[in-house]
Amino acid sequence: MDIKSGHSSPVMTDSPQISNSRLTVRQSRLPPYSSATAVSQNNNLLLTVPRKKTGIIDDVKANAWLDAMIASSPTPAIVDKDNISSSDATTDMTYREWTVKYPSALTTFEKIMSVAKGKRIALFLDYDGTLSPIVEEPDAAYMSSDMRTAVQNVAKYFPTAIISGRSRDKVYEFVGLSELYYAGSHGMDIMSPAGESLNHKHLSRTVSINEQGKDVNLFQTASEFLPMIDKVLCSLVESTKDIKGVKVEDNRFCISVHYRNVEEKNWTLVAQCVDDVIRTYPKLRLTYGRKVLEIRPVIDWDKGKAVTFLLESLGLNNCEDVLPIYVGDDRTDEDAFKVLRDGPNHGYGVLVSAMPKVSNAFYSLRDPSEVMEFLKALVTWKRSLG
């Protein structure tokens, strides 16, 4: 993996997960693990992103950014595959046509497994919208007990990682399985299972103690940004507190400002508040998605980089007998899909969506219930091999 890439990243790009509640109270920055060794700084991951003195909002107006906010925030249509009325027939037909290009990973399961035969599968999973349904209240995005069992079973046979835009602590709390790898904050905060290592020839790690008193490895590409992110978070909470419906969410190495419950006439105000806070922080970048603005460190890192890092750490990188599979529903998952489609670690991206989307994925699944069936099928297939 080239960690010295010098190409610039756009100031406003992909979308994080969506949540819809009021303001989140700031939690302590102290991690739940006691660090035994210091994390070294990885300055060679820094990107150079030019910022104009006029500020983001002036640039945004010139580029119709608010129009982009509206365009990127449509009301999602929900297709019930079991109860399709005549009024839904056109939508369903469009979806069926879309699956010609992105076939269902369930109906083509045997084809996928024919490629996987004789290979080691490495499994990567998003959380929200993949293992759990998208919900109005982000703190209530619980996975079902059946889904937890499915993930636990698949992890017995394949190295399995959860890669989420949420903080690592949040997603670990939801999943609650210590045998998995966890990558929070879009891959900027990675933790190994107890007893497993995260050895990498270029990037350093931290050895910490988990809640059970066992050693775990942490890899945090953006640790040096935490004090800055902490200040920005507090400022955003204060500056947006009088805007009805806004929510500022702490995802540790990134901050999400949700405007899903804000009246559209006040969206410009939300954007102005965000710009007023971050315009003096050139090492932070602004990204946007479906009714969310997100502030992230300016580093060359994303979910695709996290997948490559984990494969390299596990000794599965550039191996012809390895088949990585990534299942996710979010625009940020596209970075991982692209890595598996175009990179040396050729594998399959599986997009979870009930609506047609352009994607770098090879296959599709409609919703978390189909994801669970796919995970169960993987286990059954593996057990059948003896």
Side-chain angles (χ1 to χ4, degrees):
M1 177 174 58
D2 179 10
I3 62 173
K4 296 183 179 180
S5 176
H7 69 276
S8 295
S9 173
V11 175
M12 293 173 287
T13 55
D14 40 27
S15 62
Q17 280 84 8
I18 301 166
S19 51
N20 314 311
S21 64
R22 272 296 283 167
L23 210 58
T24 295
V25 178
R26 173 69 173 153
Q27 299 279 331
S28 171
R29 274 287 180 197
L30 294 176
Y33 311 106
S34 56
S35 177
T37 60
V39 179
S40 68
Q41 307 302 329
N42 294 297
N43 292 325
N44 51 356
L45 292 175
L46 288 175
L47 290 173
T48 300
V49 176
R51 300 176 72 102
K52 298 181 181 180
K53 294 181 180 179
T54 53
I56 293 176
I57 291 301
D58 291 338
D59 295 339
V60 161
K61 290 178 180 178
N63 293 283
W65 182 43
L66 294 180
D67 288 340
M69 290 172 67
I70 295 172
S72 66
S73 305
T75 301
I78 298 175
V79 178
D80 184 345
K81 60 183 178 181
D82 297 319
N83 297 287
I84 299 175
S85 64
S86 58
S87 62
D88 295 322
T90 300
T91 300
D92 185 61
M93 180 59 68
T94 302
Y95 184 84
R96 291 173 186 269
E97 293 172 351
W98 178 74
T99 56
V100 173
K101 183 174 182 180
Y102 305 98
S104 167
L106 290 177
T107 58
T108 59
F109 185 79
E110 291 186 5
K111 178 181 178 181
I112 297 173
M113 291 304 101
S114 67
V115 176
K117 189 174 182 180
K119 296 185 178 183
R120 294 172 289 169
I121 291 176
L123 187 61
F124 304 92
L125 305 167
D126 184 25
Y127 183 75
D128 292 273
T130 300
L131 299 181
S132 72
I134 299 294
V135 295
E136 291 295 314
E137 171 52 56
D139 293 333
Y142 303 110
M143 64 192 302
S144 67
S145 58
D146 288 342
M147 179 67 86
R148 181 172 292 101
T149 298
V151 175
Q152 186 174 37
N153 287 337
V154 82
K156 294 176 182 178
Y157 298 100
F158 314 109
T160 303
I162 310 294
I163 303 182
S164 173
R166 288 181 181 264
S167 72
R168 173 176 51 81
D169 294 340
K170 286 181 183 177
V171 75
Y172 180 84
E173 181 180 352
F174 279 132
V175 178
L177 298 174
S178 60
E179 57 266 44
L180 309 181
Y181 291 85
Y182 290 89
S185 303
H186 301 290
M188 288 183 282
D189 186 8
I190 300 175
M191 182 179 72
S192 70
E196 300 290 337
S197 64
L198 280 175
N199 295 316
H200 196 279
K201 60 183 179 181
H202 295 303
L203 307 176
S204 59
R205 61 187 170 89
T206 296
V207 178
S208 297
I209 308 299
N210 69 5
E211 296 170 338
Q212 289 77 41
K214 298 181 179 180
D215 288 347
V216 295
N217 288 265
L218 300 179
F219 172 69
Q220 299 170 322
T221 61
S223 294
E224 65 185 285
F225 292 90
L226 285 178
M228 183 187 305
I229 292 173
D230 190 39
K231 291 179 182 178
V232 171
L233 179 78
C234 293
S235 296
L236 286 172
V237 169
E238 179 64 25
S239 67
T240 61
K241 66 181 181 180
D242 294 325
I243 304 175
K244 184 178 180 180
V246 95
K247 171 187 169 61
V248 179
E249 183 180 11
D250 172 20
N251 284 314
R252 187 159 175 78
F253 291 96
C254 54
I255 304 166
S256 298
V257 181
H258 303 276
Y259 55 93
R260 182 181 183 87
N261 294 326
V262 178
E263 292 186 25
E264 189 171 322
K265 66 181 181 180
N266 292 326
W267 286 9
T268 303
L269 180 59
V270 175
Q272 186 65 61
C273 286
V274 173
D275 175 61
D276 288 344
V277 171
I278 71 166
R279 65 168 59 198
T280 58
Y281 293 91
K283 291 186 177 181
L284 298 178
R285 65 180 173 126
L286 181 64
T287 68
Y288 70 98
R290 188 182 297 171
K291 296 184 180 177
V292 64
L293 302 175
E294 188 167 66
I295 295 90
R296 302 193 205 178
V298 179
I299 61 173
D300 188 12
W301 201 262
D302 52 38
K303 290 184 176 182
K305 294 287 196 305
V307 167
T308 301
F309 169 82
L310 285 166
L311 289 172
E312 291 181 352
S313 299
L314 293 168
L316 302 176
N317 190 53
N318 296 336
C319 296
E320 294 184 358
D321 67 336
V322 172
L323 181 67
I325 297 176
Y326 189 108
V327 186
D329 76 306
D330 195 78
R331 281 182 62 191
T332 57
D333 297 315
E334 291 296 327
D335 294 315
F337 295 158
K338 185 173 177 58
V339 163
L340 298 187
R341 175 182 282 273
D342 301 333
N345 297 301
H346 185 71
Y348 293 139
V350 181
L351 175 64
V352 183
S353 178
M355 296 298 293
K357 298 178 181 179
V358 176
S359 177
N360 288 304
F362 279 95
Y363 297 99
S364 67
L365 294 167
R366 262 191 197 264
D367 50 37
S369 67
E370 290 198 352
V371 173
M372 184 167 63
E373 292 306 311
F374 180 73
L375 298 181
K376 290 180 178 179
L378 282 174
V379 172
T380 301
W381 172 78
K382 185 63 177 180
R383 287 173 176 170
S384 70
L385 300 178

